[in-house]
Amino acid sequence: MDISRTSFIILLAAFMCPAKTSGNNDPFCKPINTFVESIKPGEIHEIKFLTAWGSNFKGYSEPVLSAKRCEYQGYEPASFACKVLMDSASVEFAGKNAMRVVSCLSPETQFASGIQLENVSLYFSHGTDERGSEVVVDLSEDKTLGAMVLKVVANGY
């Protein structure tokens, strides 16, 4: 096999094997981890990322293909996580956002390709035994608003 053919095969393999989008390489991870790690013992903070695909939120008259908003209750470290969600999260596939957040906060957790989440509530610890947060990642539908809601709740210990 000549060198040019070998180079072509390596280059082709690089394009055929997409980069992993979970863990530390995902742009979600740094702001999501920073948010959760900022929670002090005894504090509870949450982020709510709301998405509507195919229409606006109920009660809004402006016709749109999709709608999104992020709520963080004025807690500054959560604002950066909301910004990354607003900038790069999927509106159409809310379950993918939940999987990405879980993979950031629990890097050992992996989801097989083809998995789709529609309603889920996951509970786990993030940090050490001495210092961290109990985290709930919840994905559910808000029928009143006509939206999917991804909540990340962190309770510091």
Side-chain angles (χ1 to χ4, degrees), residues 42-70:
E43 292 182 350
I44 299 174
H45 293 283
E46 79 174 29
I47 296 169
K48 283 174 62 174
F49 183 59
L50 299 93
T51 57
W53 178 251
S55 66
N56 208 337
F57 298 122
K58 289 182 180 176
Y60 291 75
S61 59
E62 180 182 354
V64 296
L65 177 60
S66 64
K68 60 185 174 179
R69 74 175 188 233
C70 193

mmCIF file with all atom_site columns, all heavy atoms in Angstrom, residues 42-70:
data_model
loop_
_atom_site.group_PDB
_atom_site.id
_atom_site.type_symbol
_atom_site.label_atom_id
_atom_site.label_alt_id
_atom_site.label_comp_id
_atom_site.label_asym_id
_atom_site.label_entity_id
_atom_site.label_seq_id
_atom_site.pdbx_PDB_ins_code
_atom_site.Cartn_x
_atom_site.Cartn_y
_atom_site.Cartn_z
_atom_site.occupancy
_atom_site.B_iso_or_equiv
_atom_site.pdbx_formal_charge
_atom_site.auth_seq_id
_atom_site.auth_comp_id
_atom_site.auth_asym_id
_atom_site.auth_atom_id
_atom_site.pdbx_PDB_model_num
ATOM 1   N N   . GLY A 1 42 ? -26.355 23.646 51.039 1.00 0.00 ? 42 GLY A N   1
ATOM 2   C CA  . GLY A 1 42 ? -27.620 24.184 51.518 1.00 0.00 ? 42 GLY A CA  1
ATOM 3   C C   . GLY A 1 42 ? -28.380 25.023 50.500 1.00 0.00 ? 42 GLY A C   1
ATOM 4   O O   . GLY A 1 42 ? -29.513 25.407 50.738 1.00 0.00 ? 42 GLY A O   1
ATOM 5   N N   . GLU A 1 43 ? -27.761 25.327 49.360 1.00 0.00 ? 43 GLU A N   1
ATOM 6   C CA  . GLU A 1 43 ? -28.446 26.096 48.309 1.00 0.00 ? 43 GLU A CA  1
ATOM 7   C C   . GLU A 1 43 ? -29.060 25.154 47.274 1.00 0.00 ? 43 GLU A C   1
ATOM 8   O O   . GLU A 1 43 ? -28.541 24.069 47.033 1.00 0.00 ? 43 GLU A O   1
ATOM 9   C CB  . GLU A 1 43 ? -27.464 27.008 47.560 1.00 0.00 ? 43 GLU A CB  1
ATOM 10  C CG  . GLU A 1 43 ? -26.908 28.142 48.366 1.00 0.00 ? 43 GLU A CG  1
ATOM 11  C CD  . GLU A 1 43 ? -25.980 29.021 47.536 1.00 0.00 ? 43 GLU A CD  1
ATOM 12  O OE1 . GLU A 1 43 ? -25.615 28.671 46.396 1.00 0.00 ? 43 GLU A OE1 1
ATOM 13  O OE2 . GLU A 1 43 ? -25.606 30.087 48.057 1.00 0.00 ? 43 GLU A OE2 1
ATOM 14  N N   . ILE A 1 44 ? -30.143 25.622 46.681 1.00 0.00 ? 44 ILE A N   1
ATOM 15  C CA  . ILE A 1 44 ? -30.777 24.905 45.568 1.00 0.00 ? 44 ILE A CA  1
ATOM 16  C C   . ILE A 1 44 ? -31.014 25.921 44.460 1.00 0.00 ? 44 ILE A C   1
ATOM 17  O O   . ILE A 1 44 ? -31.582 26.993 44.706 1.00 0.00 ? 44 ILE A O   1
ATOM 18  C CB  . ILE A 1 44 ? -32.131 24.276 45.975 1.00 0.00 ? 44 ILE A CB  1
ATOM 19  C CG1 . ILE A 1 44 ? -31.943 23.264 47.101 1.00 0.00 ? 44 ILE A CG1 1
ATOM 20  C CG2 . ILE A 1 44 ? -32.800 23.622 44.763 1.00 0.00 ? 44 ILE A CG2 1
ATOM 21  C CD1 . ILE A 1 44 ? -33.251 22.713 47.656 1.00 0.00 ? 44 ILE A CD1 1
ATOM 22  N N   . HIS A 1 45 ? -30.549 25.601 43.268 1.00 0.00 ? 45 HIS A N   1
ATOM 23  C CA  . HIS A 1 45 ? -30.770 26.459 42.101 1.00 0.00 ? 45 HIS A CA  1
ATOM 24  C C   . HIS A 1 45 ? -31.173 25.580 40.930 1.00 0.00 ? 45 HIS A C   1
ATOM 25  O O   . HIS A 1 45 ? -30.818 24.396 40.881 1.00 0.00 ? 45 HIS A O   1
ATOM 26  C CB  . HIS A 1 45 ? -29.516 27.268 41.755 1.00 0.00 ? 45 HIS A CB  1
ATOM 27  C CG  . HIS A 1 45 ? -29.168 28.276 42.795 1.00 0.00 ? 45 HIS A CG  1
ATOM 28  N ND1 . HIS A 1 45 ? -29.837 29.476 42.918 1.00 0.00 ? 45 HIS A ND1 1
ATOM 29  C CD2 . HIS A 1 45 ? -28.224 28.259 43.778 1.00 0.00 ? 45 HIS A CD2 1
ATOM 30  C CE1 . HIS A 1 45 ? -29.321 30.159 43.925 1.00 0.00 ? 45 HIS A CE1 1
ATOM 31  N NE2 . HIS A 1 45 ? -28.344 29.439 44.468 1.00 0.00 ? 45 HIS A NE2 1
ATOM 32  N N   . GLU A 1 46 ? -31.906 26.206 39.989 1.00 0.00 ? 46 GLU A N   1
ATOM 33  C CA  . GLU A 1 46 ? -32.336 25.442 38.827 1.00 0.00 ? 46 GLU A CA  1
ATOM 34  C C   . GLU A 1 46 ? -32.302 26.272 37.555 1.00 0.00 ? 46 GLU A C   1
ATOM 35  O O   . GLU A 1 46 ? -32.360 27.504 37.598 1.00 0.00 ? 46 GLU A O   1
ATOM 36  C CB  . GLU A 1 46 ? -33.729 24.852 39.029 1.00 0.00 ? 46 GLU A CB  1
ATOM 37  C CG  . GLU A 1 46 ? -34.875 25.805 38.820 1.00 0.00 ? 46 GLU A CG  1
ATOM 38  C CD  . GLU A 1 46 ? -36.240 25.114 38.894 1.00 0.00 ? 46 GLU A CD  1
ATOM 39  O OE1 . GLU A 1 46 ? -36.381 24.106 39.602 1.00 0.00 ? 46 GLU A OE1 1
ATOM 40  O OE2 . GLU A 1 46 ? -37.151 25.608 38.249 1.00 0.00 ? 46 GLU A OE2 1
ATOM 41  N N   . ILE A 1 47 ? -32.214 25.546 36.471 1.00 0.00 ? 47 ILE A N   1
ATOM 42  C CA  . ILE A 1 47 ? -32.317 26.102 35.124 1.00 0.00 ? 47 ILE A CA  1
ATOM 43  C C   . ILE A 1 47 ? -33.514 25.413 34.486 1.00 0.00 ? 47 ILE A C   1
ATOM 44  O O   . ILE A 1 47 ? -33.693 24.205 34.633 1.00 0.00 ? 47 ILE A O   1
ATOM 45  C CB  . ILE A 1 47 ? -31.072 25.777 34.284 1.00 0.00 ? 47 ILE A CB  1
ATOM 46  C CG1 . ILE A 1 47 ? -29.838 26.428 34.866 1.00 0.00 ? 47 ILE A CG1 1
ATOM 47  C CG2 . ILE A 1 47 ? -31.278 26.190 32.840 1.00 0.00 ? 47 ILE A CG2 1
ATOM 48  C CD1 . ILE A 1 47 ? -28.556 25.933 34.225 1.00 0.00 ? 47 ILE A CD1 1
ATOM 49  N N   . LYS A 1 48 ? -34.329 26.192 33.791 1.00 0.00 ? 48 LYS A N   1
ATOM 50  C CA  . LYS A 1 48 ? -35.429 25.627 33.011 1.00 0.00 ? 48 LYS A CA  1
ATOM 51  C C   . LYS A 1 48 ? -35.258 26.091 31.571 1.00 0.00 ? 48 LYS A C   1
ATOM 52  O O   . LYS A 1 48 ? -35.265 27.289 31.304 1.00 0.00 ? 48 LYS A O   1
ATOM 53  C CB  . LYS A 1 48 ? -36.783 26.103 33.533 1.00 0.00 ? 48 LYS A CB  1
ATOM 54  C CG  . LYS A 1 48 ? -37.219 25.407 34.788 1.00 0.00 ? 48 LYS A CG  1
ATOM 55  C CD  . LYS A 1 48 ? -38.483 25.978 35.387 1.00 0.00 ? 48 LYS A CD  1
ATOM 56  C CE  . LYS A 1 48 ? -39.677 25.882 34.510 1.00 0.00 ? 48 LYS A CE  1
ATOM 57  N NZ  . LYS A 1 48 ? -40.917 26.319 35.196 1.00 0.00 ? 48 LYS A NZ  1
ATOM 58  N N   . PHE A 1 49 ? -35.086 25.128 30.661 1.00 0.00 ? 49 PHE A N   1
ATOM 59  C CA  . PHE A 1 49 ? -34.962 25.422 29.242 1.00 0.00 ? 49 PHE A CA  1
ATOM 60  C C   . PHE A 1 49 ? -36.225 24.911 28.563 1.00 0.00 ? 49 PHE A C   1
ATOM 61  O O   . PHE A 1 49 ? -36.515 23.721 28.573 1.00 0.00 ? 49 PHE A O   1
ATOM 62  C CB  . PHE A 1 49 ? -33.710 24.749 28.666 1.00 0.00 ? 49 PHE A CB  1
ATOM 63  C CG  . PHE A 1 49 ? -33.479 25.055 27.216 1.00 0.00 ? 49 PHE A CG  1
ATOM 64  C CD1 . PHE A 1 49 ? -33.317 26.360 26.777 1.00 0.00 ? 49 PHE A CD1 1
ATOM 65  C CD2 . PHE A 1 49 ? -33.404 24.035 26.293 1.00 0.00 ? 49 PHE A CD2 1
ATOM 66  C CE1 . PHE A 1 49 ? -33.095 26.641 25.434 1.00 0.00 ? 49 PHE A CE1 1
ATOM 67  C CE2 . PHE A 1 49 ? -33.169 24.294 24.955 1.00 0.00 ? 49 PHE A CE2 1
ATOM 68  C CZ  . PHE A 1 49 ? -33.019 25.604 24.529 1.00 0.00 ? 49 PHE A CZ  1
ATOM 69  N N   . LEU A 1 50 ? -36.998 25.837 27.995 1.00 0.00 ? 50 LEU A N   1
ATOM 70  C CA  . LEU A 1 50 ? -38.288 25.516 27.385 1.00 0.00 ? 50 LEU A CA  1
ATOM 71  C C   . LEU A 1 50 ? -38.183 25.624 25.875 1.00 0.00 ? 50 LEU A C   1
ATOM 72  O O   . LEU A 1 50 ? -37.647 26.614 25.363 1.00 0.00 ? 50 LEU A O   1
ATOM 73  C CB  . LEU A 1 50 ? -39.364 26.473 27.899 1.00 0.00 ? 50 LEU A CB  1
ATOM 74  C CG  . LEU A 1 50 ? -39.600 26.441 29.399 1.00 0.00 ? 50 LEU A CG  1
ATOM 75  C CD1 . LEU A 1 50 ? -38.754 27.482 30.100 1.00 0.00 ? 50 LEU A CD1 1
ATOM 76  C CD2 . LEU A 1 50 ? -41.049 26.671 29.703 1.00 0.00 ? 50 LEU A CD2 1
ATOM 77  N N   . THR A 1 51 ? -38.731 24.626 25.180 1.00 0.00 ? 51 THR A N   1
ATOM 78  C CA  . THR A 1 51 ? -38.704 24.623 23.718 1.00 0.00 ? 51 THR A CA  1
ATOM 79  C C   . THR A 1 51 ? -40.058 24.195 23.169 1.00 0.00 ? 51 THR A C   1
ATOM 80  O O   . THR A 1 51 ? -40.738 23.350 23.742 1.00 0.00 ? 51 THR A O   1
ATOM 81  C CB  . THR A 1 51 ? -37.632 23.658 23.184 1.00 0.00 ? 51 THR A CB  1
ATOM 82  O OG1 . THR A 1 51 ? -37.865 22.341 23.691 1.00 0.00 ? 51 THR A OG1 1
ATOM 83  C CG2 . THR A 1 51 ? -36.233 24.115 23.570 1.00 0.00 ? 51 THR A CG2 1
ATOM 84  N N   . ALA A 1 52 ? -40.415 24.812 22.059 1.00 0.00 ? 52 ALA A N   1
ATOM 85  C CA  . ALA A 1 52 ? -41.630 24.424 21.336 1.00 0.00 ? 52 ALA A CA  1
ATOM 86  C C   . ALA A 1 52 ? -41.259 24.297 19.864 1.00 0.00 ? 52 ALA A C   1
ATOM 87  O O   . ALA A 1 52 ? -40.712 25.235 19.284 1.00 0.00 ? 52 ALA A O   1
ATOM 88  C CB  . ALA A 1 52 ? -42.730 25.466 21.523 1.00 0.00 ? 52 ALA A CB  1
ATOM 89  N N   . TRP A 1 53 ? -41.542 23.161 19.275 1.00 0.00 ? 53 TRP A N   1
ATOM 90  C CA  . TRP A 1 53 ? -41.217 22.917 17.873 1.00 0.00 ? 53 TRP A CA  1
ATOM 91  C C   . TRP A 1 53 ? -42.508 22.922 17.045 1.00 0.00 ? 53 TRP A C   1
ATOM 92  O O   . TRP A 1 53 ? -43.479 22.285 17.405 1.00 0.00 ? 53 TRP A O   1
ATOM 93  C CB  . TRP A 1 53 ? -40.501 21.577 17.710 1.00 0.00 ? 53 TRP A CB  1
ATOM 94  C CG  . TRP A 1 53 ? -40.208 21.270 16.281 1.00 0.00 ? 53 TRP A CG  1
ATOM 95  C CD1 . TRP A 1 53 ? -40.801 20.313 15.516 1.00 0.00 ? 53 TRP A CD1 1
ATOM 96  C CD2 . TRP A 1 53 ? -39.267 21.931 15.428 1.00 0.00 ? 53 TRP A CD2 1
ATOM 97  N NE1 . TRP A 1 53 ? -40.285 20.334 14.250 1.00 0.00 ? 53 TRP A NE1 1
ATOM 98  C CE2 . TRP A 1 53 ? -39.343 21.325 14.168 1.00 0.00 ? 53 TRP A CE2 1
ATOM 99  C CE3 . TRP A 1 53 ? -38.388 22.987 15.626 1.00 0.00 ? 53 TRP A CE3 1
ATOM 100 C CZ2 . TRP A 1 53 ? -38.558 21.730 13.094 1.00 0.00 ? 53 TRP A CZ2 1
ATOM 101 C CZ3 . TRP A 1 53 ? -37.602 23.389 14.546 1.00 0.00 ? 53 TRP A CZ3 1
ATOM 102 C CH2 . TRP A 1 53 ? -37.693 22.770 13.313 1.00 0.00 ? 53 TRP A CH2 1
ATOM 103 N N   . GLY A 1 54 ? -42.486 23.684 15.971 1.00 0.00 ? 54 GLY A N   1
ATOM 104 C CA  . GLY A 1 54 ? -43.629 23.720 15.058 1.00 0.00 ? 54 GLY A CA  1
ATOM 105 C C   . GLY A 1 54 ? -44.626 24.820 15.365 1.00 0.00 ? 54 GLY A C   1
ATOM 106 O O   . GLY A 1 54 ? -45.580 25.024 14.611 1.00 0.00 ? 54 GLY A O   1
ATOM 107 N N   . SER A 1 55 ? -44.420 25.509 16.453 1.00 0.00 ? 55 SER A N   1
ATOM 108 C CA  . SER A 1 55 ? -45.316 26.607 16.819 1.00 0.00 ? 55 SER A CA  1
ATOM 109 C C   . SER A 1 55 ? -44.677 27.417 17.943 1.00 0.00 ? 55 SER A C   1
ATOM 110 O O   . SER A 1 55 ? -43.630 27.057 18.460 1.00 0.00 ? 55 SER A O   1
ATOM 111 C CB  . SER A 1 55 ? -46.671 26.070 17.296 1.00 0.00 ? 55 SER A CB  1
ATOM 112 O OG  . SER A 1 55 ? -46.508 25.351 18.502 1.00 0.00 ? 55 SER A OG  1
ATOM 113 N N   . ASN A 1 56 ? -45.371 28.480 18.302 1.00 0.00 ? 56 ASN A N   1
ATOM 114 C CA  . ASN A 1 56 ? -44.937 29.296 19.428 1.00 0.00 ? 56 ASN A CA  1
ATOM 115 C C   . ASN A 1 56 ? -45.488 28.680 20.707 1.00 0.00 ? 56 ASN A C   1
ATOM 116 O O   . ASN A 1 56 ? -46.295 27.746 20.677 1.00 0.00 ? 56 ASN A O   1
ATOM 117 C CB  . ASN A 1 56 ? -45.450 30.733 19.247 1.00 0.00 ? 56 ASN A CB  1
ATOM 118 C CG  . ASN A 1 56 ? -44.560 31.755 19.925 1.00 0.00 ? 56 ASN A CG  1
ATOM 119 O OD1 . ASN A 1 56 ? -43.832 31.445 20.850 1.00 0.00 ? 56 ASN A OD1 1
ATOM 120 N ND2 . ASN A 1 56 ? -44.631 32.985 19.460 1.00 0.00 ? 56 ASN A ND2 1
ATOM 121 N N   . PHE A 1 57 ? -45.078 29.196 21.845 1.00 0.00 ? 57 PHE A N   1
ATOM 122 C CA  . PHE A 1 57 ? -45.659 28.779 23.113 1.00 0.00 ? 57 PHE A CA  1
ATOM 123 C C   . PHE A 1 57 ? -47.135 29.175 23.107 1.00 0.00 ? 57 PHE A C   1
ATOM 124 O O   . PHE A 1 57 ? -47.514 30.196 22.521 1.00 0.00 ? 57 PHE A O   1
ATOM 125 C CB  . PHE A 1 57 ? -44.959 29.459 24.289 1.00 0.00 ? 57 PHE A CB  1
ATOM 126 C CG  . PHE A 1 57 ? -43.495 29.126 24.410 1.00 0.00 ? 57 PHE A CG  1
ATOM 127 C CD1 . PHE A 1 57 ? -42.536 30.125 24.378 1.00 0.00 ? 57 PHE A CD1 1
ATOM 128 C CD2 . PHE A 1 57 ? -43.066 27.815 24.577 1.00 0.00 ? 57 PHE A CD2 1
ATOM 129 C CE1 . PHE A 1 57 ? -41.192 29.839 24.504 1.00 0.00 ? 57 PHE A CE1 1
ATOM 130 C CE2 . PHE A 1 57 ? -41.717 27.513 24.699 1.00 0.00 ? 57 PHE A CE2 1
ATOM 131 C CZ  . PHE A 1 57 ? -40.781 28.523 24.659 1.00 0.00 ? 57 PHE A CZ  1
ATOM 132 N N   . LYS A 1 58 ? -47.964 28.385 23.771 1.00 0.00 ? 58 LYS A N   1
ATOM 133 C CA  . LYS A 1 58 ? -49.387 28.722 23.867 1.00 0.00 ? 58 LYS A CA  1
ATOM 134 C C   . LYS A 1 58 ? -49.538 30.071 24.561 1.00 0.00 ? 58 LYS A C   1
ATOM 135 O O   . LYS A 1 58 ? -48.831 30.379 25.510 1.00 0.00 ? 58 LYS A O   1
ATOM 136 C CB  . LYS A 1 58 ? -50.154 27.640 24.627 1.00 0.00 ? 58 LYS A CB  1
ATOM 137 C CG  . LYS A 1 58 ? -50.289 26.360 23.847 1.00 0.00 ? 58 LYS A CG  1
ATOM 138 C CD  . LYS A 1 58 ? -51.098 25.332 24.609 1.00 0.00 ? 58 LYS A CD  1
ATOM 139 C CE  . LYS A 1 58 ? -51.210 24.062 23.802 1.00 0.00 ? 58 LYS A CE  1
ATOM 140 N NZ  . LYS A 1 58 ? -51.897 23.003 24.543 1.00 0.00 ? 58 LYS A NZ  1
ATOM 141 N N   . GLY A 1 59 ? -50.459 30.874 24.052 1.00 0.00 ? 59 GLY A N   1
ATOM 142 C CA  . GLY A 1 59 ? -50.677 32.197 24.611 1.00 0.00 ? 59 GLY A CA  1
ATOM 143 C C   . GLY A 1 59 ? -49.897 33.289 23.901 1.00 0.00 ? 59 GLY A C   1
ATOM 144 O O   . GLY A 1 59 ? -50.077 34.461 24.184 1.00 0.00 ? 59 GLY A O   1
ATOM 145 N N   . TYR A 1 60 ? -49.015 32.901 22.996 1.00 0.00 ? 60 TYR A N   1
ATOM 146 C CA  . TYR A 1 60 ? -48.255 33.863 22.194 1.00 0.00 ? 60 TYR A CA  1
ATOM 147 C C   . TYR A 1 60 ? -48.840 33.836 20.784 1.00 0.00 ? 60 TYR A C   1
ATOM 148 O O   . TYR A 1 60 ? -48.956 32.780 20.168 1.00 0.00 ? 60 TYR A O   1
ATOM 149 C CB  . TYR A 1 60 ? -46.773 33.498 22.142 1.00 0.00 ? 60 TYR A CB  1
ATOM 150 C CG  . TYR A 1 60 ? -46.066 33.659 23.458 1.00 0.00 ? 60 TYR A CG  1
ATOM 151 C CD1 . TYR A 1 60 ? -46.239 32.738 24.494 1.00 0.00 ? 60 TYR A CD1 1
ATOM 152 C CD2 . TYR A 1 60 ? -45.219 34.734 23.676 1.00 0.00 ? 60 TYR A CD2 1
ATOM 153 C CE1 . TYR A 1 60 ? -45.598 32.890 25.704 1.00 0.00 ? 60 TYR A CE1 1
ATOM 154 C CE2 . TYR A 1 60 ? -44.567 34.890 24.886 1.00 0.00 ? 60 TYR A CE2 1
ATOM 155 C CZ  . TYR A 1 60 ? -44.757 33.960 25.898 1.00 0.00 ? 60 TYR A CZ  1
ATOM 156 O OH  . TYR A 1 60 ? -44.123 34.110 27.095 1.00 0.00 ? 60 TYR A OH  1
ATOM 157 N N   . SER A 1 61 ? -49.203 35.000 20.268 1.00 0.00 ? 61 SER A N   1
ATOM 158 C CA  . SER A 1 61 ? -49.896 35.046 18.980 1.00 0.00 ? 61 SER A CA  1
ATOM 159 C C   . SER A 1 61 ? -48.968 35.071 17.777 1.00 0.00 ? 61 SER A C   1
ATOM 160 O O   . SER A 1 61 ? -49.376 34.736 16.667 1.00 0.00 ? 61 SER A O   1
ATOM 161 C CB  . SER A 1 61 ? -50.824 36.265 18.930 1.00 0.00 ? 61 SER A CB  1
ATOM 162 O OG  . SER A 1 61 ? -50.067 37.451 19.106 1.00 0.00 ? 61 SER A OG  1
ATOM 163 N N   . GLU A 1 62 ? -47.713 35.455 17.942 1.00 0.00 ? 62 GLU A N   1
ATOM 164 C CA  . GLU A 1 62 ? -46.792 35.545 16.808 1.00 0.00 ? 62 GLU A CA  1
ATOM 165 C C   . GLU A 1 62 ? -46.519 34.144 16.241 1.00 0.00 ? 62 GLU A C   1
ATOM 166 O O   . GLU A 1 62 ? -46.080 33.247 16.963 1.00 0.00 ? 62 GLU A O   1
ATOM 167 C CB  . GLU A 1 62 ? -45.481 36.177 17.259 1.00 0.00 ? 62 GLU A CB  1
ATOM 168 C CG  . GLU A 1 62 ? -44.464 36.306 16.144 1.00 0.00 ? 62 GLU A CG  1
ATOM 169 C CD  . GLU A 1 62 ? -43.146 36.884 16.636 1.00 0.00 ? 62 GLU A CD  1
ATOM 170 O OE1 . GLU A 1 62 ? -43.047 37.298 17.800 1.00 0.00 ? 62 GLU A OE1 1
ATOM 171 O OE2 . GLU A 1 62 ? -42.223 36.897 15.830 1.00 0.00 ? 62 GLU A OE2 1
ATOM 172 N N   . PRO A 1 63 ? -46.793 33.937 14.945 1.00 0.00 ? 63 PRO A N   1
ATOM 173 C CA  . PRO A 1 63 ? -46.524 32.617 14.364 1.00 0.00 ? 63 PRO A CA  1
ATOM 174 C C   . PRO A 1 63 ? -45.015 32.423 14.141 1.00 0.00 ? 63 PRO A C   1
ATOM 175 O O   . PRO A 1 63 ? -44.344 33.286 13.573 1.00 0.00 ? 63 PRO A O   1
ATOM 176 C CB  . PRO A 1 63 ? -47.267 32.652 13.031 1.00 0.00 ? 63 PRO A CB  1
ATOM 177 C CG  . PRO A 1 63 ? -47.402 34.094 12.698 1.00 0.00 ? 63 PRO A CG  1
ATOM 178 C CD  . PRO A 1 63 ? -47.414 34.849 13.993 1.00 0.00 ? 63 PRO A CD  1
ATOM 179 N N   . VAL A 1 64 ? -44.496 31.324 14.618 1.00 0.00 ? 64 VAL A N   1
ATOM 180 C CA  . VAL A 1 64 ? -43.079 30.994 14.457 1.00 0.00 ? 64 VAL A CA  1
ATOM 181 C C   . VAL A 1 64 ? -42.952 29.486 14.240 1.00 0.00 ? 64 VAL A C   1
ATOM 182 O O   . VAL A 1 64 ? -43.847 28.719 14.586 1.00 0.00 ? 64 VAL A O   1
ATOM 183 C CB  . VAL A 1 64 ? -42.228 31.418 15.673 1.00 0.00 ? 64 VAL A CB  1
ATOM 184 C CG1 . VAL A 1 64 ? -42.216 32.926 15.853 1.00 0.00 ? 64 VAL A CG1 1
ATOM 185 C CG2 . VAL A 1 64 ? -42.719 30.743 16.942 1.00 0.00 ? 64 VAL A CG2 1
ATOM 186 N N   . LEU A 1 65 ? -41.824 29.077 13.683 1.00 0.00 ? 65 LEU A N   1
ATOM 187 C CA  . LEU A 1 65 ? -41.557 27.650 13.490 1.00 0.00 ? 65 LEU A CA  1
ATOM 188 C C   . LEU A 1 65 ? -41.131 26.996 14.803 1.00 0.00 ? 65 LEU A C   1
ATOM 189 O O   . LEU A 1 65 ? -41.416 25.828 15.056 1.00 0.00 ? 65 LEU A O   1
ATOM 190 C CB  . LEU A 1 65 ? -40.465 27.454 12.426 1.00 0.00 ? 65 LEU A CB  1
ATOM 191 C CG  . LEU A 1 65 ? -40.040 26.019 12.168 1.00 0.00 ? 65 LEU A CG  1
ATOM 192 C CD1 . LEU A 1 65 ? -41.222 25.176 11.691 1.00 0.00 ? 65 LEU A CD1 1
ATOM 193 C CD2 . LEU A 1 65 ? -38.912 25.970 11.159 1.00 0.00 ? 65 LEU A CD2 1
ATOM 194 N N   . SER A 1 66 ? -40.457 27.766 15.664 1.00 0.00 ? 66 SER A N   1
ATOM 195 C CA  . SER A 1 66 ? -40.022 27.226 16.945 1.00 0.00 ? 66 SER A CA  1
ATOM 196 C C   . SER A 1 66 ? -39.859 28.364 17.947 1.00 0.00 ? 66 SER A C   1
ATOM 197 O O   . SER A 1 66 ? -39.721 29.521 17.564 1.00 0.00 ? 66 SER A O   1
ATOM 198 C CB  . SER A 1 66 ? -38.693 26.478 16.796 1.00 0.00 ? 66 SER A CB  1
ATOM 199 O OG  . SER A 1 66 ? -37.667 27.365 16.411 1.00 0.00 ? 66 SER A OG  1
ATOM 200 N N   . ALA A 1 67 ? -39.885 27.982 19.209 1.00 0.00 ? 67 ALA A N   1
ATOM 201 C CA  . ALA A 1 67 ? -39.712 28.963 20.274 1.00 0.00 ? 67 ALA A CA  1
ATOM 202 C C   . ALA A 1 67 ? -38.842 28.342 21.360 1.00 0.00 ? 67 ALA A C   1
ATOM 203 O O   . ALA A 1 67 ? -38.869 27.125 21.578 1.00 0.00 ? 67 ALA A O   1
ATOM 204 C CB  . ALA A 1 67 ? -41.067 29.368 20.855 1.00 0.00 ? 67 ALA A CB  1
ATOM 205 N N   . LYS A 1 68 ? -38.077 29.192 22.037 1.00 0.00 ? 68 LYS A N   1
ATOM 206 C CA  . LYS A 1 68 ? -37.259 28.711 23.147 1.00 0.00 ? 68 LYS A CA  1
ATOM 207 C C   . LYS A 1 68 ? -37.018 29.849 24.121 1.00 0.00 ? 68 LYS A C   1
ATOM 208 O O   . LYS A 1 68 ? -37.043 31.027 23.755 1.00 0.00 ? 68 LYS A O   1
ATOM 209 C CB  . LYS A 1 68 ? -35.927 28.148 22.649 1.00 0.00 ? 68 LYS A CB  1
ATOM 210 C CG  . LYS A 1 68 ? -35.055 29.149 21.905 1.00 0.00 ? 68 LYS A CG  1
ATOM 211 C CD  . LYS A 1 68 ? -33.816 28.466 21.354 1.00 0.00 ? 68 LYS A CD  1
ATOM 212 C CE  . LYS A 1 68 ? -33.025 29.427 20.483 1.00 0.00 ? 68 LYS A CE  1
ATOM 213 N NZ  . LYS A 1 68 ? -31.824 28.800 19.955 1.00 0.00 ? 68 LYS A NZ  1
ATOM 214 N N   . ARG A 1 69 ? -36.828 29.463 25.355 1.00 0.00 ? 69 ARG A N   1
ATOM 215 C CA  . ARG A 1 69 ? -36.431 30.428 26.383 1.00 0.00 ? 69 ARG A CA  1
ATOM 216 C C   . ARG A 1 69 ? -35.785 29.646 27.524 1.00 0.00 ? 69 ARG A C   1
ATOM 217 O O   . ARG A 1 69 ? -35.998 28.453 27.687 1.00 0.00 ? 69 ARG A O   1
ATOM 218 C CB  . ARG A 1 69 ? -37.593 31.288 26.847 1.00 0.00 ? 69 ARG A CB  1
ATOM 219 C CG  . ARG A 1 69 ? -38.602 30.624 27.738 1.00 0.00 ? 69 ARG A CG  1
ATOM 220 C CD  . ARG A 1 69 ? -39.633 31.655 28.223 1.00 0.00 ? 69 ARG A CD  1
ATOM 221 N NE  . ARG A 1 69 ? -40.496 31.081 29.207 1.00 0.00 ? 69 ARG A NE  1
ATOM 222 C CZ  . ARG A 1 69 ? -41.816 31.086 29.157 1.00 0.00 ? 69 ARG A CZ  1
ATOM 223 N NH1 . ARG A 1 69 ? -42.434 31.661 28.148 1.00 0.00 ? 69 ARG A NH1 1
ATOM 224 N NH2 . ARG A 1 69 ? -42.519 30.559 30.113 1.00 0.00 ? 69 ARG A NH2 1
ATOM 225 N N   . CYS A 1 70 ? -34.996 30.377 28.291 1.00 0.00 ? 70 CYS A N   1
ATOM 226 C CA  . CYS A 1 70 ? -34.299 29.760 29.407 1.00 0.00 ? 70 CYS A CA  1
ATOM 227 C C   . CYS A 1 70 ? -34.490 30.623 30.645 1.00 0.00 ? 70 CYS A C   1
ATOM 228 O O   . CYS A 1 70 ? -34.325 31.842 30.589 1.00 0.00 ? 70 CYS A O   1
ATOM 229 C CB  . CYS A 1 70 ? -32.809 29.608 29.073 1.00 0.00 ? 70 CYS A CB  1
ATOM 230 S SG  . CYS A 1 70 ? -31.927 28.540 30.225 1.00 0.00 ? 70 CYS A SG  1
#
